Amino acid sequence: MTMSVGWYLRRLSRMGPQEVAGRVGDTVRRRRWRSAPPACPSLSGARFTAVLPAGTIAAVPADAAKRLVAEADRLMDGHAEFFGVVRDDMADPDWWRDPKTGRRAPSGYAFDVPYRSEDAVGDIKQIWEPSRHQYLTQLAAAYAVTGNERYAERVAEHLRSWWSANPPLRGVHWISGIELGIRLLSWVWIRRLLDGWPGAADLFEGNPVARNQIWHHQRWLAAFPSRGSSANNHVIAEDAGQLAAACAFDWFPASARWRADALRSLERQLRGNTYLSGLNRELATEYHGLVLELGLAAVAEADAAGVQVPATVRLVLLRMTDALAAVVDNRLRPPRQGDADDGHGLIVDGAGTDRWASLLATGDAVFGRLDWWPEVTATDVRTPLLAALVKPAELSVTRPASRPAHFADAGMTILRGPEQVWCRCDGGPHGFLSIAAHAHADALSVEVRHDGVDVLADPGTYCYHGQPEWRQYFRSTLGHNTLQLDGGDQSVSGGPFLWTRHAESRVLVADASGEVARWSAEHDGYEGSVHRRQVELTAETQELRLVDEVSGPRRTVQLAFHLGPAITADLVGNRAQLTWTRDGEDRSAVLDLPEGLSWQAHRGESEPPLGWYSAGFGRKEPATTLIGTGSTDGTAGFTTVLRFRG
């Protein structure tokens, strides 16, 4: 996907003068570096001292270590999966090849590579992901828990291969700051986890190639920070990686300055990216997880180096952790809201480790759990490692005395009923910053689960680059459980990560207490009309009632309900019988749909896309979507009732 002149003009219109000036400076610097790239200073006597405290590895739970080693053995055999693509070439990877399309990215000066063009490069996410080197942190962790040197030797082999194939400023791996930041964080942990292996020092501090790479990564991040309308989760990754490297690899004349600048930026950006309620401002749950992981890892690194961290940094991470504990369902699954690309800050665990349980376990270890937090029984490797580095700190903050249900600043409300009924209602802002890059056109959508099973599902994300029709579908209004007017989205897209007009929503009622929990909100995304939705969840009858009203002139209506992939639907007229199985037990519900609309079931359609569910980035599977079509005269309402059977 290449960007048109029109896209650049729309993108420019979302920038302020300061951002424009900064980007002009970036362009000048890139041209200067092309002809006269910066040179790494010569060094001698570099040492690595940011090691784990004694006894840390012994604290790793046995079952978590077993999962890790099983994953490491698969990697040693060359097997891995990235975004739904199974790879068998990871014993000796080609760092520039996309296995999905078979294309190989062009070489040359990094900023000349057209990385958004799948025709020229392939799927850039497939190329970038292995080079975050998080699979190498897994191998290094396997060495740490087993002492088996074959894992360490494979890590060394791959790092030397990558450094040789990717000299500074050459090729696709020197384009995006988030990639450089996460890669630096991985290298810090690789060095730490390999401590004790005889070759560790010769691989890193004793290796001029490694030192050159580390210096150039940090120099790049200092020169080209994400700016203005792009200062979302990317800038957090850049700051976290820069801070980690400047603390652990404190070898360069600029290290102190890089460290101070990164910490100052991290403090400012964490506050800017996070609501006071603790939810991430991008309103994309997976990025809440990514930012929290990055923030915790950055604090651990600073504490290990004896660098004083502002209390505000810990306060933001504490609020984020409490917010996560508040919004998860009874199976510890958070909402599926906004974009999701399976991005992680630090991976040292094997397959089967629950990301959200791991984050809550780390939050418990670092901040202490509250009485209303859900219980976490799962184990992980990462928690004892981070907890061993983070220093105890007294924080002056009042934490919620009971489980919050309504997050007014984020416009998110969680309604809970008996039998593990969980409902997320969305009445919040369209997204974060002027471009709202990771937002979906999902105002007033609902997401409903029963014992952790998606019943009315948020379909997910699936892709970013290269497949514009699928990108558009998964972020569209029709791709969510809400109402569409005249076949258009509530917010106007200007490109795959750009919205030029944002629907504005406001919550009218949010009362999750009592036998009947109530929520109501409205938005103005359809010019000349207002869509208002009311939701009631009755505990005694396990009944969820939705009423949609549209004020304004007569318009065509499409009301969508996306069912989870586990749900089988039998639609007769305006009634759908829903069935599924959970832990070997048959479950069921009845969905009575508005009589004033004509209902059809869609499943796995491609022209245009409709009836799909994406469990993770790069993966999609057919799922049933119920679409009701009709019109409104400005006064009629549409009532939907979902009844769970005991």
Side-chain angles (χ1 to χ4, degrees):
M1 182 186 301
T2 54
M3 300 295 105
S4 65
V5 173
W7 179 88
Y8 282 104
L9 292 174
R10 291 190 296 272
R11 185 66 182 84
L12 182 64
S13 72
R14 311 305 291 179
M15 301 180 192
Q18 186 175 1
E19 180 179 354
V20 171
R23 290 178 182 269
V24 170
D26 291 346
T27 300
V28 171
R29 191 174 297 110
R30 287 167 184 157
R31 289 178 178 174
R32 187 169 69 246
W33 283 17
R34 177 199 297 273
S35 57
C40 176
S42 58
L43 295 174
S44 61
R47 296 174 59 243
F48 182 84
T49 59
V51 298
L52 288 169
T56 300
I57 297 300
V60 173
D63 59 335
K66 182 178 180 180
R67 290 194 302 272
L68 168 64
V69 172
E71 182 72 16
D73 287 342
R74 284 191 290 272
L75 290 168
M76 291 294 292
D77 289 338
H79 305 306
E81 181 177 333
F82 299 106
F83 307 136
V85 175
V86 176
R87 296 185 60 163
D88 298 318
D89 62 341
M90 290 304 292
D92 183 20
D94 182 338
W95 303 109
W96 289 16
R97 181 180 180 274
D98 165 29
K100 191 170 77 173
T101 64
R103 296 186 181 95
R104 198 168 189 273
S107 60
Y109 186 56
F111 299 113
D112 291 342
V113 177
Y115 70 96
R116 291 190 178 98
S117 172
E118 188 167 292
D119 290 338
V121 174
D123 185 335
I124 191 62
K125 291 281 288 181
Q126 288 288 343
I127 297 173
W128 277 344
E129 190 67 16
S131 287
R132 290 185 171 188
H133 290 169
Q134 293 175 321
Y135 78 95
L136 295 181
T137 59
Q138 292 173 307
L139 288 174
Y143 164 75
V145 300
T146 66
N148 190 327
E149 293 191 1
R150 71 189 187 105
Y151 301 122
E153 290 164 357
R154 176 62 59 82
V155 171
E157 176 187 337
H158 280 206
L159 283 178
R160 290 193 171 102
S161 167
W162 194 93
W163 291 332
S164 175
N166 295 278
L169 302 178
R170 310 302 294 179
V172 292
H173 297 301
W174 291 89
I175 295 172
S176 174
I178 188 174
E179 304 304 316
L180 275 74
I182 290 177
R183 191 155 55 238
L184 276 178
L185 187 60
S186 295
W187 291 352
V188 168
W189 275 92
I190 289 168
R191 175 60 184 89
R192 173 176 290 125
L193 292 165
L194 292 185
D195 198 63
W197 177 55
D202 288 340
L203 179 62
F204 279 92
E205 57 267 31
N207 182 357
V209 175
R211 296 197 307 266
N212 186 55
Q213 284 276 348
I214 292 167
W215 185 87
H216 272 282
H217 273 65
Q218 294 186 267
R219 174 67 175 168
W220 193 108
L221 291 173
F224 302 113
S226 292
R227 300 180 184 278
S229 56
S230 295
N232 53 14
N233 65 85
H234 284 230
V235 76
I236 304 294
E238 293 161 13
D239 290 340
Q242 182 80 306
L243 177 61
C247 287
F249 302 142
D250 184 17
W251 306 331
F252 308 104
S255 291
R257 174 169 53 84
W258 288 338
R259 183 168 57 243
D261 290 349
L263 184 56
R264 185 165 49 250
S265 177
L266 181 68
E267 190 275 337
R268 183 176 67 253
Q269 298 296 345
L270 275 175
R271 285 190 289 108
N273 274 258
T274 310
Y275 286 113
L276 289 177
S277 66
L279 290 179
N280 183 265
R281 283 183 181 269
E282 293 195 76
L283 297 175
T285 307
E286 281 212 3
Y287 289 112
H288 182 106
L290 173 63
V291 168
L292 181 53
E293 288 171 353
L294 291 166
L296 289 168
V299 168
E301 219 57 60
D303 283 355
V307 175
Q308 185 173 357
V309 176
T312 47
V313 170
R314 298 181 199 269
L315 287 173
V316 170
L317 299 176
L318 169 60
R319 289 201 303 268
M320 291 183 72
T321 308
D322 280 342
L324 176 61
V327 300
V328 295
D329 64 21
N330 68 300
R331 300 276 181 151
L332 302 185
R333 292 184 62 213
R336 284 167 53 88
Q337 182 181 19
D339 272 349
D341 71 348
D342 297 353
H344 289 70
L346 173 65
I347 302 179
V348 289
D349 277 281
T353 301
D354 187 288
R355 175 186 196 173
W356 308 104
S358 171
L359 273 171
L360 290 176
T362 303
D364 184 3
V366 172
F367 302 118
R369 69 185 309 277
L370 296 171
D371 291 341
W372 54 261
W373 274 30
E375 291 291 334
V376 176
T377 58
T379 62
D380 70 316
V381 175
R382 189 176 59 190
T383 290
L385 302 187
L386 287 176
L389 298 178
V390 177
K391 307 301 183 187
E394 292 292 331
L395 299 177
S396 177
V397 60
T398 300
R399 299 171 69 183
S402 58
R403 191 175 203 172
H406 178 56
F407 299 82
D409 47 11
M412 181 188 293
T413 304
I414 305 295
L415 308 181
R416 299 177 189 270
E419 301 296 325
Q420 296 84 44
V421 176
W422 176 97
C423 174
R424 173 182 65 86
C425 303
D426 179 7
H430 174 62
F432 181 49
L433 301 174
S434 61
I435 63 173
H438 291 297
H440 289 188
D442 57 356
L444 309 198
S445 64
V446 297
E447 185 183 3
V448 181
R449 299 179 193 153
H450 186 279
D451 196 13
V453 174
D454 291 310
V455 179
L456 301 183
D458 184 300
T461 298
Y462 178 55
C463 66
Y464 281 170
H465 302 282
Q467 298 173 282
E469 70 281 8
W470 291 100
R471 175 64 170 151
Q472 175 60 26
Y473 168 68
F474 275 99
R475 68 206 290 255
S476 70
T477 297
L478 192 64
H480 295 83
N481 297 318
T482 188
L483 182 144
Q484 181 189 67
L485 295 182
D486 294 343
D489 287 339
Q490 311 149 337
S491 296
V492 177
S493 171
F497 297 98
L498 171 64
W499 296 90
T500 56
R501 185 171 61 81
H502 304 177
E504 293 189 9
S505 303
R506 66 182 185 120
V507 176
L508 306 173
V509 176
D511 182 5
S513 61
E515 286 297 305
V516 180
R518 293 182 173 88
W519 175 86
S520 177
E522 63 184 20
H523 77 82
D524 66 354
Y526 300 115
E527 295 182 354
S529 298
V530 173
H531 173 208
R532 177 177 293 182
R533 168 169 279 183
Q534 303 171 55
V535 178
E536 293 184 351
L537 176 59
T538 303
E540 182 177 355
T541 59
Q542 300 186 59
E543 178 181 288
L544 187 76
R545 179 179 294 266
L546 294 84
V547 179
D548 290 291
E549 298 174 328
V550 179
S551 63
R554 183 183 181 88
R555 306 181 76 157
T556 59
V557 171
Q558 283 191 298
L559 181 59
F561 291 106
H562 299 263
L563 308 181
I567 308 299
T568 299
D570 182 12
L571 176 66
V572 178
N574 70 311
R575 169 169 285 191
Q577 302 282 347
L578 312 181
T579 56
W580 66 97
T581 301
R582 178 57 149 167
D583 297 334
E585 179 182 343
D586 292 336
R587 311 281 180 92
S588 64
V590 175
L591 184 61
D592 284 323
L593 301 160
E595 294 181 353
L597 301 176
S598 175
W599 289 91
Q600 285 190 319
H602 303 264
R603 185 177 180 87
E605 300 172 10
S606 298
E607 296 181 358
L610 189 59
W612 296 91
Y613 179 94
S614 175
F617 197 83
R619 293 174 286 154
K620 69 180 189 299
E621 59 185 301
T624 300
T625 296
L626 305 175
I627 301 290
T629 305
S631 63
T632 175
D633 59 8
T635 59
F638 305 100
T639 300
T640 304
V641 180
L642 175 62
R643 298 181 181 89
F644 293 98
R645 292 172 175 169

